[in-house]
Amino acid sequence: MRFLGNVLATIVGIFIFFMVSFFGILVLGAIFGSSDESVKVAKNSVIELDLSEINYDYAGKVNFKDFDYFKAQHNGLSDVLKAIEYAKTDDKIKGISILNSSSNLGIAQTKALRDQLEDFKKSGKFIYSYADVYSQKEYYLNSVANKIYINPIGELDFKGLSAEIMFFKDFEEKSGLKMEVIRHGKYKSAVEPFLENKMSDANREQTTQLLNSIWSSVVVDIAKSRNVSVERLNQVAEGLLARTPEMAKAEKLIDIIAYEDVYHDDIRKALKVESDKEYKSVSIADYANKVSTATINLEAKDKIAIIYAQGEISSGEGDVNVIGEGSMRRSLQEARKDEHVKAIVLRIDSPGGNALTSELIWREIEITKKVKPVVVSMGNYAASGGYYIACNANKIYAEANTITGSIGVFGILPNFTEATKKIGINVEQVKTHTNASEYSPFKPLDDNYRGFAQEGVEHIYSTFVNRVSAGRKMTFEQVDAIGQGRVWSGQDALKIGLVDKIGGMDEAIKEAARLGKTTKYRTQDYPEFEKDFGDILSKFGLAQSKESIIKEEIGVQNYEILQHIKQMTTQKGVQARMAYELKIN
């Protein structure tokens, strides 16, 4: 029996060895093999601008610690912008096709891409656009095209902007699940849904002004591209006068009502390709990957470091969608110590987050600024903690429709006292000193603890305002007057002194080069994130993460709602976070 057992154990061991080896080869092949692939671009080609997989400004660089292997991704918006810039002078590229585009890009990112496409047209090459249905945000991007096509039974969404906020006060009272709020800032509407049943006048005021400012920047761009007055576009939006293809064409918002095959036939004509032949094309992702290595100026020793800060601000390492203390401080230190880096551009796309982490990043920027200049470029958001880490830069650039400001802080403490009473649970405490127990979610929030918590919030708010005051050369009172948690568009932020200039990443890089006293330079992207073997397995589908399983079961939109609930219930310490997440379509 022992002999048979040993034989069986040996067979099982060999089987496991081969299985591990097999999957190991797959993983290593996927990681190492992909870097050797070369994208071929045929003559007389069109770029297919598919943005469905483009989510962030920066796609990330990853250091796989277990393999001592480094890998850079090239499917971020910054890579797309560089690729379109390169395509202007690439004689193999004749035009760009935007076909049924759908993206997760924010309004400021869309503006940056639209500006790059507008510049591309100056080369004399064409941009054609086709969609069965144009959402408002997608139409804003597509309106830059030379020719805009729409399906004969399609739709165009053009109605202005709106924001919707859900309030929970009645739910708290009925369920007994209460959120204790400590805040500073009359505009800090992140916590207003837990305190009121309707929008406050202050919140309505800031939201209305914000939407009007963003809409104004959007409609001005569309008016210029479509040669339609701003006044008429507002009339169209007010009366939904472009809701059908025929109405949209009558208002000059689209050019051609046709099916997709007609659209492709017209591209063939533009390329002078026979009607029975397929025209050559390359996806923007593949083209960006090719351009990323072809455009590096290795002769230039000087560098401008671009450090991307995108997502919620949190402790820990961070990732492409989380601004982590570890990766951010390490990136600033590396750029600061690199003698070839002459200046730094900090690209921020964040609604804020942990106040302590924001302060630590601010401090690292303060140290860096004494060695070399730091210029901030704001994306969709640079609000609350996102503005905290921007305020001490040498220069701040924002898009007109960037959402920024929100200089205010708050804390939320979940309280289940009433809920536990309803189901027959009672909690008792024993302690040696009055404040030994700190805060319990199963006991009413007493005035003593609330006082200490309010003191902490006031201290951080005062620190925040002082940081802005010093960085922007304003008095405490001036910052406080435009602070109080209020959010501003980039255009309005310029008027009140929170930013220096309206412009995108290119303008910020040029300013950084000027301040760094260099004319011949290349850019280097940061951060480099550190990952382990488990992350690799998850990436290649060999170990499905809990997040991917939940997304698969409940859907992406419901998962996003779940994440928001999780963020609100797991926030630790005082928060310097924007009032709310605003998605504009």
Side-chain angles (χ1 to χ4, degrees):
M1 290 295 292
R2 180 176 297 178
F3 172 75
L4 291 176
N6 290 337
V7 171
L8 181 60
T10 302
I11 293 172
V12 171
I14 292 172
F15 175 76
I16 293 174
F17 170 77
F18 279 113
M19 289 298 293
V20 170
S21 299
F22 174 72
F23 283 114
I25 291 170
L26 285 180
V27 172
L28 293 175
I31 295 172
F32 295 98
S34 59
S35 60
D36 294 329
E37 294 177 3
S38 179
V39 177
K40 302 293 183 183
V41 180
K43 292 182 180 179
N44 207 32
S45 289
V46 169
I47 293 176
E48 294 179 344
L49 194 63
D50 180 2
L51 303 172
S52 59
E53 300 299 321
I54 310 298
N55 298 310
Y56 308 106
D57 288 329
Y58 176 55
K61 297 178 181 178
V62 181
N63 176 26
F64 296 108
K65 295 180 291 185
D66 299 279
F67 292 108
D68 191 24
Y69 177 71
F70 173 81
K71 184 176 178 62
Q73 302 289 336
H74 300 292
N75 60 345
L77 179 61
S78 60
D79 301 298
V80 170
L81 298 178
K82 290 175 185 176
I84 294 173
E85 170 70 20
Y86 184 79
K88 284 170 48 181
T89 55
D90 186 345
D91 58 7
K92 293 181 179 178
I93 299 298
K94 303 302 180 184
I96 295 175
S97 169
I98 314 176
L99 177 60
N100 283 315
S101 65
S102 176
S103 79
N104 296 314
L105 299 178
I107 192 67
Q109 290 173 310
T110 303
K111 162 71 173 172
L113 177 55
R114 195 181 187 283
D115 288 346
Q116 192 68 65
L117 291 170
E118 191 72 66
D119 185 63
F120 174 84
K121 288 197 302 182
K122 295 176 183 178
S123 66
K125 301 177 181 183
F126 67 83
I127 301 176
Y128 285 0
S129 161
Y130 181 94
D132 295 323
V133 176
Y134 286 104
S135 71
Q136 192 161 244
K137 186 182 72 173
E138 301 309 332
Y139 178 73
Y140 173 51
L141 175 65
N142 284 257
S143 64
V144 75
N146 301 93
K147 289 185 180 181
I148 303 177
Y149 295 69
I150 193 170
N151 189 296
I153 56 172
E155 297 177 8
L156 191 152
D157 186 24
F158 194 78
K159 61 183 186 300
L161 306 179
S162 67
E164 186 175 88
I165 302 174
M166 189 177 294
F167 293 84
F168 306 101
K169 186 178 180 181
D170 280 351
F171 170 78
E172 290 179 284
E173 292 176 356
K174 291 178 180 180
S175 66
L177 303 173
K178 186 180 180 182
M179 302 300 284
E180 299 284 1
V181 174
I182 299 96
R183 65 171 173 170
H184 183 109
K186 64 180 180 179
Y187 291 99
K188 205 66 188 175
S189 52
V191 293
E192 189 175 87
F194 302 110
L195 302 174
E196 306 291 342
N197 275 330
K198 63 179 182 178
M199 188 180 291
S200 66
D201 292 340
N203 192 10
R204 187 174 294 278
E205 174 193 348
Q206 72 161 345
T207 305
T208 300
Q209 183 171 337
L210 179 67
L211 291 177
N212 283 330
S213 182
I214 293 173
W215 174 254
S216 177
S217 68
V218 166
V219 78
V220 164
D221 286 342
I222 295 174
K224 183 179 179 181
S225 293
R226 298 304 301 169
N227 195 27
V228 180
S229 70
V230 169
E231 292 74 18
R232 184 54 189 168
L233 287 174
N234 279 316
Q235 291 171 359
V236 171
E238 182 69 24
L240 300 180
L241 303 181
R243 60 186 182 273
T244 67
E246 291 76 17
M247 296 172 75
K249 185 176 182 181
E251 296 294 345
K252 300 180 182 178
L253 297 192
I254 63 104
D255 299 297
I256 299 171
I257 301 172
Y259 290 102
E260 188 179 326
D261 58 287
V262 175
Y263 172 75
H264 291 297
D265 285 341
D266 285 357
I267 290 180
R268 288 188 185 91
K269 291 176 183 176
L271 297 174
K272 298 179 181 179
V273 173
E274 296 177 16
S275 59
D276 60 340
K277 303 283 187 180
E278 292 293 328
Y279 61 84
K280 304 295 183 182
S281 64
V282 59
S283 73
I284 187 61
D286 285 343
Y287 190 71
N289 188 60
K290 178 180 178 62
V291 169
S292 66
T293 55
T295 57
I296 298 176
N297 182 8
L298 297 176
E299 294 181 359
K301 290 185 178 180
D302 289 354
K303 294 185 288 187
I304 302 296
I306 303 177
I307 301 177
Y308 291 88
Q310 50 195 30
E312 296 269 342
I313 298 175
S314 180
S315 58
E317 170 64 13
D319 207 332
V320 290
N321 60 351
V322 176
I323 301 172
E325 173 195 343
S327 58
M328 286 300 299
R329 294 179 69 187
R330 186 171 63 248
S331 297
L332 285 162
Q333 291 166 9
E334 289 176 2
R336 183 170 72 236
K337 294 174 182 177
D338 188 339
E339 63 179 14
H340 296 298
V341 171
K342 301 304 178 183
I344 296 168
V345 173
L346 181 64
R347 173 67 173 185
I348 302 174
D349 188 0
S350 172
N354 186 277
L356 175 58
T357 302
S358 301
E359 167 73 8
L360 294 174
I361 296 172
W362 172 90
R363 174 60 180 168
E364 204 65 56
I365 294 170
E366 192 71 5
I367 296 171
T368 302
K369 200 173 63 169
K370 295 176 181 178
V371 179
K372 53 194 66 173
V374 178
V375 176
V376 161
S377 170
M378 294 180 171
N380 299 315
Y381 297 93
S384 209
Y387 189 77
Y388 199 129
I389 65 175
C391 68
N392 61 334
N394 297 90
K395 283 287 175 69
I396 300 177
Y397 283 75
E399 296 283 8
N401 46 23
T402 293
I403 297 174
T404 188
S406 191
I407 301 167
V409 296
F410 68 88
I412 294 180
L413 302 169
N415 193 285
F416 310 132
T417 304
E418 295 301 319
T420 53
K421 283 182 180 178
K422 290 180 180 182
I423 58 176
I425 296 175
N426 183 44
V427 177
E428 296 289 341
Q429 292 180 337
V430 178
K431 49 190 175 183
T432 60
H433 295 76
T434 303
N435 299 304
S437 61
E438 293 189 331
Y439 174 75
S440 169
F442 304 106
K443 289 289 184 180
L445 179 63
D446 63 70
D447 293 338
N448 194 42
Y449 187 85
R450 181 181 289 276
F452 291 136
Q454 187 68 47
E455 183 182 274
V457 166
E458 295 298 337
H459 173 68
I460 293 177
Y461 178 75
S462 177
T463 303
F464 193 170
V465 172
N466 277 315
R467 299 295 184 235
V468 177
S469 175
R472 301 305 300 163
K473 295 178 174 58
M474 302 166 71
T475 67
F476 185 98
E477 291 72 24
Q478 287 174 322
V479 177
D480 188 44
I482 59 177
Q484 301 286 327
R486 179 163 183 169
V487 293
W488 304 89
S489 70
Q491 190 66 57
D492 289 337
L494 176 66
K495 298 174 184 176
I496 60 176
L498 290 181
V499 306
D500 294 299
K501 290 186 178 180
I502 298 299
M505 178 77 89
D506 286 345
E507 288 83 357
I509 292 173
K510 290 174 184 176
E511 176 65 12
R514 187 186 71 81
L515 293 174
K517 299 178 181 179
T518 180
T519 56
K520 188 177 181 181
Y521 57 88
R522 55 192 170 97
T523 61
Q524 182 171 336
D525 294 341
Y526 297 84
E528 175 186 324
F529 304 106
E530 296 185 347
K531 299 294 180 183
D532 56 27
F533 185 69
D535 298 309
I536 301 171
L537 291 178
S538 176
K539 179 177 177 61
F540 292 100
L542 298 178
Q544 194 174 15
S545 66
K546 64 179 181 181
E547 289 83 3
S548 62
I549 294 172
I550 295 171
K551 283 182 183 179
E552 187 176 307
E553 291 299 319
I554 68 174
V556 175
Q557 288 183 324
N558 290 328
Y559 178 76
E560 290 177 356
I561 294 172
L562 184 64
Q563 286 297 99
H564 284 303
I565 295 172
K566 180 181 177 182
Q567 288 167 3
M568 293 300 289
T569 57
T570 59
Q571 290 166 7
K572 295 181 179 180
V574 178
Q575 300 293 304
R577 185 182 300 270
M578 189 194 152
Y580 46 79
E581 181 176 344
L582 186 64
K583 288 190 175 181
I584 299 172
N585 293 311

